[in-house]
Amino acid sequence: MISFDRLDLNLLRVFDAVMEERSVVRASQRLHLSQSALSHALARLRDSIGEELFVRTGKGLAPTDYATAISGPLRAALQGMRGALASASSPFQPASARRTFVIAASDYVCAILLPHFQRQLRQRAPLVDLVIKPSTRANLAEQIDLRRIDLAIGMFGGMPERLRSQALMEQDEVLVAWRGHPAAQRDITVKDLATYPLAAVSAGGEEDGAVGGFIRERGLSRQSDMYDRGALELALAQSGLPVRLQTLLPHFLAIPALIEHGDTLAIVPRPLAKLFVRTHALLIKELPYPVAPRQMEILWHGENDLDPAHCWLRAQWFEAVQQMRQAA
């Protein structure tokens, strides 16, 4: 029998971190402990409950059946305690708060939403600083797990239970072209996509581990192709035309300089296309094939669900979306 009254509850935090990280190194970094201290804590917990918890494999630590069985209820209990402490503490006061938020976002998100978000920050939280990191970084999930990134904005597929997401805005795709493009005065056809140079944005290919347009790491799938590759390839294949992207870019903001005064067509999200035509000699053309709208999401760690500062931060991004729509 386990003597709960004698159990050091800090050991449960260690167990939860190792269960999530599957690595003594990463768990120790997250908890700000030495590796030896963390290993000693695991040994104490094993001795206290009389059960093996993890076994070493070539890929790291693997949980035993017992560890898997207790992990869900223990994580829920820990999150409940965190929530109770957060709700009982003083509410976040943005007007006087001194804090730095770290956001992972693409240049596209920064271009269409950051100006609105920054104005809100200046008015409501003048002492709060903002750090933007690329959402395309290979270790995005790890940085969120280590709490080095507060919030990520992008398009995601499957995700582990420890992370949370919420739909931020819906978007579809269009073409942008120079106002003097040979096809500027008519609708673009599928044949045009094979005739004129075509550009799009992708944050990684198969060489970077992408499968089906998504990169998967630590249980999180994030979109690597910033366009609907499947819809494009299907439209061209059905017309018997070759599939060729002459230019595949890592960033959206290079597109205007690339296509102005030329015949290149570029696939971009509609909100960004509207910005481009306001600031450059470009125009918007509808795609000649159907593309389903996709959701851009905000992503954060579940442990921050009830944190007042994080709740405020998420609300500001939703308001920035509303302001962007009103300004469009």
Side-chain angles (χ1 to χ4, degrees):
M1 293 291 293
I2 301 173
S3 177
F4 185 79
D5 291 340
R6 297 182 179 179
L7 182 64
D8 182 351
L9 297 185
N10 283 319
L11 301 180
L12 300 182
R13 293 180 60 246
V14 171
F15 167 78
D16 185 61
V18 176
M19 189 72 186
E20 187 173 304
E21 301 293 344
R22 299 294 202 273
S23 164
V24 169
V25 174
R26 291 194 296 268
S28 63
Q29 291 173 341
R30 173 173 155 183
L31 296 176
H32 305 290
L33 296 172
S34 67
Q35 294 179 37
S36 60
L38 188 136
S39 297
H40 180 66
L42 275 182
R44 286 178 56 204
L45 180 60
R46 180 195 62 210
D47 294 341
S48 297
I49 63 180
E51 296 281 352
E52 289 292 337
L53 298 170
F54 299 97
V55 294
R56 293 192 178 278
T57 70
K59 297 182 179 180
L61 294 179
T64 62
D65 290 342
Y66 179 84
T68 301
I70 67 173
S71 64
L74 285 179
R75 178 164 296 167
L78 289 170
Q79 289 179 346
M81 287 188 283
R82 293 187 187 101
L85 292 172
S87 62
S89 63
S90 300
F92 179 65
Q93 301 290 343
S96 58
R98 292 182 179 271
R99 181 161 180 170
T100 298
F101 288 115
V102 182
I103 310 297
S106 67
D107 61 333
Y108 158 49
V109 171
C110 291
I112 66 169
L113 292 181
L114 189 57
H116 304 288
F117 183 91
Q118 185 70 9
R119 280 194 290 273
Q120 294 168 201
L121 207 62
R122 291 279 296 167
Q123 294 170 0
R124 302 170 185 174
L127 302 179
V128 168
D129 295 329
L130 197 63
V131 174
I132 305 293
K133 294 188 176 182
S135 58
T136 55
R137 60 187 307 152
N139 58 350
L140 176 63
E142 180 183 34
Q143 292 297 297
I144 294 174
D145 284 339
L146 293 174
R147 314 302 186 270
R148 293 173 183 166
I149 289 177
D150 293 298
L151 197 70
I153 303 176
M155 284 177 282
F156 307 98
M159 64 184 62
E161 292 183 359
R162 69 183 185 274
L163 302 182
R164 303 286 186 270
S165 70
Q166 189 173 358
L168 182 63
M169 58 178 282
E170 189 175 77
Q171 62 180 32
D172 62 350
E173 299 169 6
V174 294
L175 291 165
V176 287
W178 177 46
R179 290 176 187 169
H181 192 282
Q185 303 305 315
R186 61 174 175 83
D187 292 340
I188 298 294
T189 67
V190 174
K191 185 178 179 180
D192 288 328
L193 301 182
T195 301
Y196 297 109
L198 189 60
V201 172
S202 178
E206 294 180 1
E207 67 277 5
D208 302 305
V211 177
F214 284 84
I215 295 175
R216 185 175 177 85
E217 55 182 11
R218 296 175 68 114
L220 174 67
S221 293
R222 56 183 175 84
Q223 184 175 336
S224 56
D225 291 335
M226 300 293 108
Y227 67 102
D228 192 335
R229 177 188 291 186
L232 170 65
E233 292 179 346
L234 178 62
L236 289 168
Q238 288 178 337
S239 299
L241 297 170
V243 178
R244 183 189 175 202
L245 275 166
Q246 186 196 57
T247 307
L248 200 58
L249 301 163
H251 306 294
F252 281 104
L253 298 188
I255 286 176
L258 174 70
I259 67 177
E260 275 188 310
H261 307 292
D263 60 355
T264 298
L265 301 167
I267 304 173
V268 302
R270 189 180 297 272
L272 185 61
K274 291 180 178 180
L275 176 63
F276 282 168
V277 300
R278 292 199 303 267
T279 56
H280 297 82
L282 305 178
L283 49 78
I284 296 175
K285 307 297 284 186
E286 298 297 326
L287 286 164
Y289 56 84
V291 176
R294 288 183 287 182
Q295 293 285 354
M296 180 179 291
E297 300 175 278
I298 55 174
L299 179 75
W300 67 95
H301 200 282
E303 290 184 358
N304 292 325
D305 269 348
L306 301 178
D307 181 273
H310 278 261
C311 291
W312 179 86
L313 176 66
R314 298 194 293 270
Q316 301 314 298
W317 285 104
F318 281 98
E319 190 166 335
V321 170
Q322 295 303 318
Q323 292 184 11
M324 178 202 70
R325 288 171 176 164
Q326 292 170 6

